[in-house]
Structures are given as C-alpha cells and as structure tokens.
C-alpha cells in the first residue's frame, strides 16, 4: 500500500536529514505510485479501444522536468499551456509529436513556434483560428490542428474549475446563437482542421457531467464529418479532469470507471474511427506526493492546542484560502518520523506565514502534536508543492523522489530512479532511496529573484 511506503519514507527522511532543523519542510514523491497511475491510465483506455490514444500529461499539475521525464518513460506525452511549460517539456525530452498546446491566450509567436515544431494546437476561439489561417498559408506545418469547443453542459461543485459552464472563458460556446453553425463552417472551409477538443472541468466535476461533455463533442465531430462527406476530424481531444479523493488513501474514482462510462455514453468514440488524446494531470500525481514539516512550536489559544509548522500557504495555497473546497489530511508523526499515537485531541495545524488564516487544518482531531514532531500532508503531488507562493519570501522546499526496495510492501518500487545523488535508509520493512527532483531554494536565490542586483534602481 502507498500508506506503508509513505510511513517508511517519512522515517527515512528524518533519519537521512532531508527533514531537519536546517530544512524544516520537504516534499516527497512516490515514484512507484506515479508509475502505477500512468499504467492504470493507459490500461484503462486500452481495455475499451484499439485506437491510438495519446495520454498527454497536463504539465500545469506538476511543472517539474524530472516528473515529465518519468511520465514520458512511462508512455505519456504532455499538454502545455504556456511557453514556460513547453520549455519544461522540451527539457524533459518529450518530442513535439507527443505534445499538445492549449491556452486561451496564445500569442502569434507561440503559435508560430508550435507550428514550426509540429506540435498539435487546439485553437481556443475563432480569432485565434484566423491567426492560424495566416500561419498555415505562409509555411507548411506537420502540426495537427483543431478547435476547442465548450459544450456548456454545466458546472461541478468548484466553479473555478468548471470549464463547460454557460459563460466559461474557454472554447467556442456551442449553445450560443449561431456558434455551432460557425464551427461546422470553419471546418468545412479548412480541410487542415482535423481535431476537435473539449474539456468539462476537473476537481468537483462528476464523471457523468464529464462524459456528457465528451459525448457532445463526439456528436459534433460526427456532424462535421457527415457535412464534409468524409472523415475530416480524425482525432478527438477529450481533455482530462478525473477528480481526486482527498479524504483517504483510496484512489477513487478510477480511470477504468471513467473509460467504461465514456464507452457507454459515446460508443462510436471507441470503435476505431477516431484517435484520442487525453489531458489528465491532478489524478496522475496528487496521491503520490507528501509534504513533511517540523512542528516548531506548540501552544494553546482559547483553550485550543495549536501546532505551528513550516508548511502553510506557500505550499497549500488553495487549501489555506479555500479550505472547504480543498481540504487536506494531516498525519501526525513523532520527532523520529514514527506514526504518533496517543489520545486524539482537537487542535489546529498552522503554517509559518504572518497572517491569521495560514492554517492547514482547523479543529482537526489528531494525536496531540509536540514540539519537534513531524506533520505529513498527503495528496499534495499536484498543484501544491510544485506551485510555490512566495508569501513572506518563504523559500521553495526541496523535492525528492523516493523508491522502496525489500520488505513486504515495496510493490514495484524497485524499478525506481535511485541513481546518482540518491541515499538509502530504512528498516527491516524496506530500504528507501531518495533522489533530488528540485533543490531547496537558497536565500541568495530569493534575493536575486527580488531585484538584489538592482538595489539602487529606484534611488539612482
């Protein structure tokens, strides 16, 4: 189980000094878990179709070059939404043919680069399509090109992550007056448009609504191909968005459940006539990341115990500002990295930032935390420690991948990437090897980012 590997990794991180008084917060990635999620995704779609499927990892979920390389080695491509994300993908060695560019605000330069490289592009709107017209006319390209449409099927429980609402900023809104006709005509006028893209949303969006959005896109592809008298659209990009369970270690819903639901909703999508692209992100990484932080102080206020830790808004920004939408579990370990036992006490777990709302958990029932203890925050492998929020100029933490070999619960971790820079530690239950994914940020780097070389710029 991933929980057993996590317990081993926490103990080893303390033993090896990855987590220490000098480095009081650190992030861990379970390499075996990431590999397992990638395999689950590819096998889920292989079970319902023989068609070619490009699973393009949404780089925004974990913009870390070693992670992109690991996923690429596991058979995945990438979906990028900025020049920075494209640069990360290229640094990871992901080829253009396995790269998809999505963004609602692509510049002419971004489009020109993508077409020169042969990267697939989904135009977000008809004005962007007009830019593609000029670029396609000026130079040949191997890029597969398509349009993103908004099926306007509704929202999930988190409005900010629901992209198929009536007024979403993404895609061509199909139910607006005249829009569907305009999309069909756009394809008929451009034989080089061969893809169609949609994405209904992610966390908080139920599977049935996601499937409904894909079904709407499939119906539109059939309509366009019928009007063209040939199969002009040969590939559907169905987006990603599988929600993540943040309440326990159970990985649910599964890719297999979603693939079967899609096959029931739009069976023609899987009969071999269409290639497919997916763009999953959070669901591939979230369950396999854990933040560890030392408890610096404990106190009481109004009779409630408070543990002040080094993990807060800088790492769990969404949770701190929107705790109801983004709850995270907190696990208690003692100073040696062993699961803490004892009477469960309702307490707050606070971060280090200088504002009152910097709380990882409020009124949480846990074994009472003590000064020097360790808290672990699981399910943080996507959109958390890789997306640093520089409040109070708090440094970015080090990120380390880990594998577990030996023992009764190593799973497939022995296939990991120990390599140069790794270290080992553990117990009779297994040996943990760490590899640095991103080094901790230094104070000198913080100063440099903050104009340190330009100190006299405003007073000269």
């Amino acid at each position: 189980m991933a929980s057993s590997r996590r317990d081993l990794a926490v103990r080893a991180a303390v033993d090896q000094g990855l987590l220490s008084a000098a480095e009081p917060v650190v992030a861990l990635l379970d390499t075996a878990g990431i590999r397992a999620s990638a395999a689950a995704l590819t096998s889920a779609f292989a079970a319902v179709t023989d068609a070619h499927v490009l699973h393009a990892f949404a780089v925004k979920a974990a913009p870390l070059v070693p992670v992109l390389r690991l996923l690429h080695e596991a058979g995945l491509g990438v979906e990028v939404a900025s020049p920075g994300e494209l640069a990360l993908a290229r640094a990871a060695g992901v080829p253009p043919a396995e790269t998809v560019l999505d963004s609602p605000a692509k510049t002419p330069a971004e489009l020109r680069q993508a077409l020169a490289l042969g990267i697939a592009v989904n135009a977000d709107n008809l004005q962007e399509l007009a830019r593609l017209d000029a670029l396609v006319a000026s130079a040949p390209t191997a890029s597969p090109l398509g349009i993103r449409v908004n099926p306007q099927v509704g929202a999930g429980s988190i409005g900010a992550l629901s992209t198929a609402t009536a007024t979403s900023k993404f895609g061509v809104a199909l139910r607006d007056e005249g829009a569907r006709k305009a999309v069909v005509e756009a394809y008929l006028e451009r034989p080089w448009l061969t893809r169609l893209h949609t994405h209904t949303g992610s966390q908080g969006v139920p599977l049935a609504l996601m499937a409904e959005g894909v079904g709407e896109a499939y119906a539109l592809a059939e309509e366009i191909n019928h009007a063209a008298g040939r199969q002009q659209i040969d590939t559907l990009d169905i987006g990603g968005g599988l929600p993540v369970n943040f309440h326990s270690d159970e990985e649910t819903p599964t890719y297999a459940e979603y693939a079967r639901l899609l096959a029931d909703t739009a069976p023609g999508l899987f009969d071999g006539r269409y290639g497919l692209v997916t763009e999953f992100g959070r669901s591939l990484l979230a369950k396999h990341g854990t933040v560890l932080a030392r408890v610096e102080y404990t106190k009481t206020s109004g009779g409630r115990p408070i543990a002040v830790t080094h993990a807060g808004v800088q790492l769990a920004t969404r949770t701190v500002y929107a705790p109801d939408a983004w709850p995270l579990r907190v696990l208690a370990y003692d100073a040696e990295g062993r699961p803490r036992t004892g009477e469960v006490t309702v307490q707050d777990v606070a971060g280090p930032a200088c504002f009152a709302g910097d709380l990882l958990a409020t009124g949480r029932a846990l074994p009472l935390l003590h000064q020097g203890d360790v808290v672990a925050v699981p399910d943080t492998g996507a959109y958390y420690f890789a997306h640093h929020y520089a409040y109070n100029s708090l440094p970015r933490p080090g990120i380390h991948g880990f594998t577990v070999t030996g023992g009764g619960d190593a799973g497939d971790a022995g296939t990991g990437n120990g390599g140069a820079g790794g270290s080992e530690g553990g117990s009779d239950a297994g040996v943990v090897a760490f590899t640095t994914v991103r080094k901790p940020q230094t104070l000198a780097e913080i100063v440099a980012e903050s104009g340190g070389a330009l100190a006299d710029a405003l007073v000269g």
Side-chain angles (χ1 to χ4, degrees), residues 7-329:
D7 285 348
L8 289 171
V10 173
R11 180 68 181 273
V14 174
D15 286 346
Q16 318 272 326
L18 291 183
L19 185 72
S20 65
E23 296 291 343
V25 61
V26 69
L28 305 181
L29 282 169
D30 180 354
T31 302
I34 296 172
R35 291 181 187 275
S37 284
L41 171 59
T42 55
S43 63
F45 278 79
V48 296
T49 183
D50 294 328
H52 174 70
V53 184
L54 170 64
H55 295 292
F57 173 69
V59 173
K60 56 184 170 286
L64 298 164
V65 171
V67 168
L68 304 185
R69 174 68 67 86
L70 174 63
L71 290 171
H72 180 55
E73 292 295 319
L76 275 60
V78 293
E79 181 263 343
V80 301
S82 72
E85 290 184 357
L86 177 56
L88 296 178
R90 298 189 73 187
V94 182
E98 297 174 26
T99 303
V100 179
L101 174 62
D102 290 318
S103 164
K106 306 181 198 72
T107 66
E110 289 175 62
L111 292 171
R112 191 175 300 109
Q113 179 189 28
L115 267 59
L117 292 172
I119 290 170
V121 176
N122 293 314
D124 180 78
N125 54 71
L126 298 182
Q127 290 180 359
E128 183 180 337
L129 186 59
R131 287 180 172 176
L132 288 176
D133 283 339
L135 292 171
V136 169
S138 65
T141 179
S143 293
L145 303 174
I147 298 175
R148 176 171 181 169
V149 295
N150 172 12
Q152 295 175 293
V153 293
S157 61
I158 304 175
L161 299 189
S162 300
T163 56
T165 62
T167 57
S168 171
K169 75 176 190 178
F170 292 102
V172 179
L174 283 182
R175 297 182 184 181
D176 283 13
E177 184 176 357
R180 190 183 190 96
K181 179 181 178 182
V183 170
V184 174
E185 290 178 350
Y187 276 87
L188 297 181
E189 293 167 358
R190 298 168 178 84
W192 42 266
L193 281 176
T194 60
R195 289 192 173 185
L196 184 65
H197 172 45
T198 194
H199 175 67
T200 301
S202 53
Q203 195 68 21
V205 177
L207 297 192
L209 190 64
M210 292 168 58
E212 182 182 352
V214 172
E216 291 289 331
Y218 166 72
L220 177 60
E222 293 282 272
E223 179 182 342
I224 291 169
N225 286 342
H226 178 76
R230 62 186 182 88
Q231 186 159 354
Q232 178 173 335
I233 295 176
D234 59 26
T235 301
L236 272 82
D237 183 335
I238 62 174
L242 193 75
V244 168
N245 165 31
F246 285 98
H247 301 288
S248 74
D249 283 324
E250 184 180 5
E251 295 189 34
T252 181
T254 67
Y255 294 118
E257 291 170 13
Y258 184 46
R260 289 193 296 267
L261 178 59
L262 287 174
D264 291 340
T265 302
L269 186 63
F270 297 99
D271 64 10
R273 291 177 297 132
Y274 291 98
L276 296 173
V277 177
T278 72
E279 299 178 356
F280 295 100
R282 178 181 292 105
S283 54
L284 282 160
L285 265 293
K287 304 299 286 186
H288 311 306
T290 303
V291 169
L292 306 184
R294 282 171 51 92
V295 177
E296 194 67 43
Y297 299 109
T298 58
K299 56 169 127 179
T300 60
S301 184
R304 176 177 289 178
I306 302 172
V308 180
T309 81
H310 289 272
V313 72
Q314 83 278 29
L315 305 179
T317 314
R318 286 176 169 177
T319 295
V320 168
Y321 286 124
D324 293 337
W326 297 101
L328 284 173
R329 294 181 289 150

Side-chain angles (χ1 to χ4, degrees), residues 8-9 12 403-410 424-433:
L8 289 171
T403 59
V404 181
T405 55
D409 192 36
E424 295 187 355
S427 67
D428 292 340
V431 177
V432 179

